[in-house]
Amino acid sequence: MSAFGFASRLPALLGIRVPIVQGGMSWASSSAALPLAVARAGGLGVIAAGPMRPDALVDAIREIRAGTDAPFAVNIPLYNKRSAEFLDIAEAEAVPILIVSQGGPRAHLARFHARGVKWIHVVAGPDHATKAEAAGVDALIVVGGEAGGHPAPDEVSALVLVRSVVRATALPVIGAGGVADGAGIAAMFALGAEGAQLGTRFLMTEEASVHAAYKQAVLGAGIADTRLVGRGGLPVRQIRNAFTDAVDAAERAGMGKDDLATLYMSHTLKEAALDGDVALGKVEAGQTAGLIDDCPPTALVMQRLIEEAEAARRRMIG
Ligand SMILES: Cc1cc2nc3c(=O)[nH]c(=O)nc-3n(C[C@H](O)[C@H](O)[C@H](O)COP(=O)(O)O)c2cc1C
């Protein structure tokens, strides 16, 4: 049993108190503040290495170590041009848990397992899950189409996608996409997941390092105010704005694939997260933006999630 009463192998596997995972979020968790706060509260805090300079990644890892004895993870997308360097840093700094996406684990697993590192692989669906299990990863994360950032490209919702992956594998599965509160966490466990990963909810905390205008845009959004842009490539779910309207209009007008790709690349998450350009930047957030109406300290979010999940569990068993 985990600390809040749901059966899970993850606390024993990872050394965390509660199987609540803060999704790695480029910029928002590309520093120590958010992952450290989550780790201190008993969940799994995750540094998103994607946009970081190697020296900044080293600094963030050391800052978390200095702030807590609890384990934490680094999220490394293997398609990133610096992924080999990030993996070397993770090894040198003895990072206890890796969360790896966008590429196969085989080439790297033995090296990290030999050092006792736990490898959690982000998979897009059941076939991918079976392959990752055969390769020997320790746990899986699967992210439904509701999610902010880059959901699985097929746009299957978490209700179906998480269930399909749980059916396909014997590994512990962490379900993501559409979870904003303890009821959502309980829903993931009802599907057979043994943990829940939340992105947008942790984006809306004091510690998440994105521009105030970004948080304001997420606060103001309803459940139907996100759009998926970049279909057919690396789709991204973000708050609807002038940029997504331009992409939608171009798609309707039948713009060719190459021009659409150029348009997709013309604006970035960085513009929204660092510069606060929420009209044209990629304001990445999930449909749960419409379920979230505050931006409190992370410790309070963690406390609420644990209490709400326990309340949902009691409600479900009558
Ligand atoms: C602003 C933002 C940035 C993200 N960046 C990454 C990333 O760098 N790597 C990654 O694997 N997932 C990334 N994600 C996805 C999250 O880790 C998580 O899976 C997702 O947000 C969960 O869905 P939810 O937003 O509905 O909670 C990002 C999500 C958001 C909202």
Side-chain angles (χ1 to χ4, degrees), residues 109-250:
L109 259 180
R111 166 183 165 201
F112 286 94
H113 273 165
R115 285 158 179 77
V117 175
K118 301 299 177 203
W119 184 291
I120 306 177
H121 210 72
V122 183
V123 295
D127 295 346
H128 198 188
T130 313
K131 281 190 196 132
E133 181 172 27
V137 306
D138 300 293
L140 302 173
I141 292 176
V142 59
V143 185
E146 305 91 329
H150 299 289
D154 292 335
E155 296 179 45
V156 179
S157 71
L159 196 63
V160 174
L161 191 62
V162 173
R163 188 71 198 134
S164 73
V165 169
V166 167
R167 283 187 183 187
T169 170
L171 289 174
V173 173
I174 297 162
V179 180
D181 56 20
I185 292 172
M188 287 299 178
F189 278 84
L191 294 174
E194 295 181 49
Q197 169 166 290
L198 293 73
T200 305
R201 174 64 274 186
F202 284 113
L203 175 70
M204 295 303 292
T205 57
E206 285 180 2
E207 288 84 352
S209 48
V210 296
H211 197 283
Y214 193 125
K215 293 181 180 176
Q216 213 47 49
V218 176
L219 262 188
I223 56 172
D225 290 335
T226 65
R227 292 290 180 274
L228 199 68
V229 293
R231 285 190 175 84
L234 190 61
V236 66
R237 183 173 295 286
Q238 65 158 90
I239 303 295
R240 181 185 169 188
N241 63 5
F243 169 63
T244 66
D245 284 353
V247 173
D248 285 347

Side-chain angles (χ1 to χ4, degrees), residues 48-115:
M52 296 177 82
R53 289 198 326 269
D55 56 335
L57 177 59
V58 172
D59 289 348
I61 292 168
R62 292 184 182 171
E63 196 178 329
I64 294 179
R65 273 251 157 67
T68 181
D69 291 334
F72 60 94
V74 175
N75 168 230
I76 301 177
L78 289 178
Y79 72 85
N80 189 293
K81 60 179 188 302
R82 287 194 291 260
S83 65
E85 204 171 346
F86 292 151
L87 288 168
D88 288 346
I89 289 171
E91 182 182 354
E93 296 293 320
V95 169
I97 301 161
L98 291 181
I99 295 182
V100 181
S101 52
Q102 317 280 357
R106 272 187 201 280
H108 315 283
L109 259 180
R111 166 183 165 201
F112 286 94
H113 273 165
R115 285 158 179 77

